[in-house]
Amino acid sequence: NYINDPLLYLSKINQSEISSNILIDRSRYNNIVFNVNGYDKVTTVSASEWFNIFNDLKNSSLDTLILPNLDIVNSAMDLIYKSEKAFPIGILDVNFNKIKKSALSNNKLIEATDFLIDNGATNNSYSNHRAVAVSCLNHNFSGDKIRFYIGDFFNFSNNIDQILDEIEIDFDDGLGYRVVELNEVTTANYSSRSGFVNIKAKLRFISKVSGDVEFIYANSSVFRTGSAT
């Protein structure tokens, strides 16, 4: 049944009707994935929560190429720190779908014992969602002068309708938002006192069709050990 094996239980549905190729019901997801949409729900996340969202989306994906395996991400993090002495910041911008309750109530999808039965479900049987999360991928770090790295590899997205045109980040160092470039290191200076660093991101997207501009927001928090400790 679904509780024991969500992937198996949902294996009989028509996957071509899932527009994003990610059906969140295929994993035992955490509800935080619905609370980071970049608009009216901008929950502050930790590195652990960022990785939980990543895992939920990865485990829900019908296409194994949308998101890499975590061991690859961890290896890339190690490489960046060894080569740049910098902490990578990960960007998640992922569209995903969820089964609508109405699809179950009108029997387009039927909850049988062993499998969810597809009884003519269409793309309208699935709701559309977006998860946007930006966080330092390290759970904590030490020092008063911190180097951050944002690279193409750490920009995880299945957004085919928009171009990520500009990234602004407030590193909580008193300088406010500043434009950061992909594949470059940005340095933030902090006091010697330890405490949480609240990182705020503003992402500027441009529609590939209309050219309309859209701003998306994401917040995260990470603990920093200062030199006075």
Side-chain angles (χ1 to χ4, degrees):
N1 58 33
Y2 177 79
I3 297 299
N4 292 330
D5 193 340
L7 284 174
L8 179 62
Y9 188 74
L10 299 176
S11 62
K12 303 295 185 180
I13 62 177
N14 183 0
Q15 299 180 356
S16 66
E17 299 294 346
I18 301 168
S19 59
S20 68
N21 278 327
I22 298 178
L23 182 63
I24 197 65
D25 306 87
R26 296 178 82 233
S27 70
R28 298 186 185 89
Y29 61 87
N30 189 302
N31 282 330
I32 195 171
V33 73
F34 292 100
N35 291 305
V36 288
N37 65 10
Y39 302 103
D40 57 327
K41 297 179 180 178
V42 186
T43 301
T44 298
V45 302
S46 64
S48 295
E49 290 168 322
W50 188 97
F51 277 109
N52 285 340
I53 296 169
F54 182 99
N55 277 328
D56 287 342
L57 295 170
K58 172 69 175 175
N59 294 334
S60 303
S61 179
L62 305 168
D63 182 353
T64 58
L65 298 180
I66 292 178
L67 294 171
N69 292 328
L70 270 183
D71 58 344
I72 297 176
V73 177
N74 289 328
S75 295
M77 290 172 60
D78 291 339
L79 180 63
I80 290 300
Y81 188 77
K82 289 177 181 176
S83 62
E84 302 286 350
K85 291 297 185 287
F87 299 99
I89 289 178
I91 300 174
L92 270 175
D93 175 27
V94 179
N95 297 306
F96 65 97
N97 297 104
K98 188 181 188 306
I99 295 171
K100 289 182 179 179
K101 290 183 179 179
S102 59
L104 299 172
S105 62
N106 64 20
N107 290 326
K108 290 296 183 181
L109 294 167
I110 301 172
E111 296 176 283
T113 301
D114 296 323
F115 299 99
L116 185 68
I117 298 173
D118 192 320
N119 189 37
T122 66
N123 59 7
N124 193 47
S125 302
Y126 305 95
S127 54
N128 300 310
H129 303 270
R130 185 178 188 176
V132 180
V134 179
S135 176
C136 174
L137 300 185
N138 293 78
H139 299 280
N140 53 71
F141 46 71
S142 301
D144 303 336
K145 188 174 187 177
I146 304 298
R147 290 162 58 86
F148 295 101
Y149 176 85
I150 300 179
D152 287 311
F153 176 80
F154 298 103
N155 179 19
F156 307 102
S157 178
N158 65 347
N159 185 351
I160 61 174
D161 299 320
Q162 296 176 307
I163 297 170
L164 177 56
D165 179 62
E166 187 176 79
I167 303 169
E168 291 184 68
I169 294 184
D170 181 347
F171 292 99
D172 199 16
D173 59 351
L175 297 181
Y177 282 100
R178 50 179 144 159
V179 175
V180 297
E181 301 294 336
L182 282 175
N183 306 312
E184 292 187 7
V185 171
T186 300
T187 301
N189 294 296
Y190 300 100
S191 72
S192 59
R193 292 178 296 177
S194 300
F196 282 94
V197 174
N198 297 309
I199 297 173
K200 300 178 181 179
K202 179 166 64 173
L203 310 177
R204 183 177 188 264
F205 289 91
I206 298 178
S207 169
K208 293 181 180 179
V209 176
S210 66
D212 290 344
V213 173
E214 179 182 42
F215 288 97
I216 299 295
Y217 299 86
N219 297 340
S220 62
S221 181
V222 59
F223 190 81
R224 179 187 65 84
T225 302
S227 61
T229 300

